[in-house]
Amino acid sequence: MTTATTGAPATGAVGTAHTRVEGRDKVTGAARYAAEIPFAELAHGWLVLSTVARGRVVSVGSGPVLEMPGVLTVLHHGNAPRLETDYVGMLGALPDPTAAVFQDDRVPHAGWPVALVVAETSEQAREAAEALVVIYEQEPHDIAFSARRPDTYPAGGHLPALAEKGDLEAELAASAHVVDEEYNTPEEHHAMMEPHAATALWDGGRLEVVDSNQGTTWVADELARMFSLDASAVRVRSEHIGGGFGSKGLRAHQVSAVMAATALQRPVRVVLTRRQMFSLTGYRSPTTQRIRLGADPDGRLRALDHRSLNQTSTVWEFVEPSAAVARTLYDADAHRTENRVVRLDVPSPTWMRAPGEAPGSFAVESAIDELAERCGVDPIELRLRNEPELGPVSGLPFTGRNLAACFREGARRFGWAGRDPRPGVRREGRWLLGTGTAAGSFPAMAMPSTAAVTAEPDGTFTVRISAADIGTGARTALTLVAADALSVPTERVRVHIGDSDFGPAMIAGGSAGTRSWAWAVTAAAGELRERLAPGGTVPPEGITVRSDTTAAVGALAQKERHSYGAQYAEVAVDVTTGEVRVRRMLGIFAAGRIVNPLTARAQLVGGMIWGISMALHEEAVRDSASGGLYGADLAGYHVASHADVPAVEADWVDDPDPDDPVGIKGIGEVGIVGAAAAVANAVRHATGVRHRSLPIRPDRVLEAGGPRV
């Protein structure tokens, strides 16, 4: 597996492979995560979750539990402080009430937090929590997710619910070829290695929280608002994070830890168990998506209709914007996309790596392949024939669209030219072989951020920014960016992140973290270079320059900004067992200037492996009787393992963004987009059977039939 970029060679630190600056600390154990940092007089909290899916709490049996060894307090709706929840947070949305714990006696879903038991040790807290008797008045619940429900409604979230142009029905009627199919994706969970953990304490009248999150200023702002504190009275630190993928924002464990620390006036740590994470930290909603495509005989699209439905909770509206990907990938004379939701008695979904685009691309890219078959056109050629010159819905120019280059380079390296398009004809013993492809895109965004760069008396430079490295290599990337901006070797740059005291900055999310942070670091470093006189001395306190990119980001012209990818997969399907094996995958991406090829490849490959997992393994199933999940752990919830990933290769084409000071777009999420569709399209090519529901389990393969022994 090579990682050599097909673009121009790097001339500075940016673009050269660099091992993680904190790598040694992580492999030797010197890097401490949120649940490992010691505190004097630390108490431990253990959350108690509801066992009913709908109803109200009648009583909490605190008395006997308070007499158990080591128990310090039991917090619940009857004694917890009142919280402020009527506010719009940094991300432009009201807080999920699941985080605002113990505010009333209502239970809106199974796994709702109803109490926190705090004790001297974690073991004592857990034993007491399991002994706590909570009496409920149970009510009938509804968790039935279906596109045929009458109570679905359009919802926008951070995007318009509906986008349309042209006369859809007329164009469909005039089309030579029509695809009209429904595609389904299941509930999926983040399942990162590090569980959610937070320690709260008061220090000199100031609240401090040591946390594992994707944005310290985000969590600090939410806590200040929720507890009616001045912003300066809250500090959140999050130095090392073992994965986030969208779920590590404000959750019940941080809020309950703050409540307990306030009540006891000592540090309190709350760590979620793996099973609790399945109820409290969000997930990707299941979707049901209807795609209608209409095309001329040559495959040129006349009509594109994509309607997606996801579930949300009864207490908070979250939209999985699966229809959004169709708004940018392909043009058509008539274009309609709509996102809808239905409220059920389930936990709130949340952002999960490539929200919207990941499930949406499975539906769109499967349908495009179905259209290619009906037109008798090669799947890559059909996609190239429908390349838009402007944004298909917005009409805005693209800041750069190199998807065609990704497909051509990928086809060359994958060996697509020799592919026999007939399904079910390649065979090795009991294995049927097939290949498939799919396109992917994800928005390239920049958000306002601040950074401080200090010239130290010893000739080094210190960068301080409230960035979050959730495993992406952000520290290392920012070290390279700062070194180039300062025209110094990387050894002279130290980057400090994960502290809300460093000032507001973008979260690690939306594939916008590195781009937003690098912009702020570049601006501060550039001004600092201008202030440093040649041969001048630096005072003992150093010289510090602080940047704020709010104006610069706000001045960006309106354009379609995206990263793109072309995914290729080869699969083998066992005709006797129905087992699907991915033999190899190739992803070629156009994702802006690549800052660090080493960690960039890891991000892209990681996304592609998630796509394999999405296509073949991941599926959270709810019990209709209890409203809870079957197997809410990593034994029951299956993810791809090393044995499932024999050969995955990621590379890229030259694609710098001309409107970004470093040329960055974003890579964190585009790696998964289209990956599941490429696998599904390859299974269709191998077996002659189209699977429109994920995951493609062995039982589904056998039930669907296809070529046999």
Side-chain angles (χ1 to χ4, degrees), residues 448-490:
S449 296
T450 63
V453 181
T454 301
E456 307 288 0
D458 62 0
T460 62
F461 296 86
T462 302
V463 177
R464 293 178 177 86
I465 184 169
S466 297
D469 191 335
I470 57 173
T472 55
R475 275 185 190 80
T476 310
L478 293 178
T479 298
L480 304 184
V481 168
D484 276 5
L486 293 163
S487 295
V488 299
T490 56

Side-chain angles (χ1 to χ4, degrees), residues 142-152 182 184 286-288 309-311 341-342 344:
D142 180 6
I143 65 166
F145 176 68
S146 168
R148 277 144 293 277
R149 293 183 63 109
D151 52 347
T152 72
E182 184 176 282
N184 299 283
T287 72
T288 180
L309 173 69
N310 75 269
Q311 72 183 25
V341 300
V342 59
L344 300 175

Side-chain angles (χ1 to χ4, degrees), residues 27 154 259 342:
V27 299
M259 284 182 172
V342 59

Side-chain angles (χ1 to χ4, degrees), residues 349-374:
T350 194
W351 299 278
M352 185 165 164
R353 197 177 202 174
E357 274 76 8
S361 65
F362 164 67
V364 170
E365 290 301 296
S366 296
I368 287 288
D369 251 45
E370 297 201 50
L371 180 63
E373 288 185 40
R374 299 184 191 190

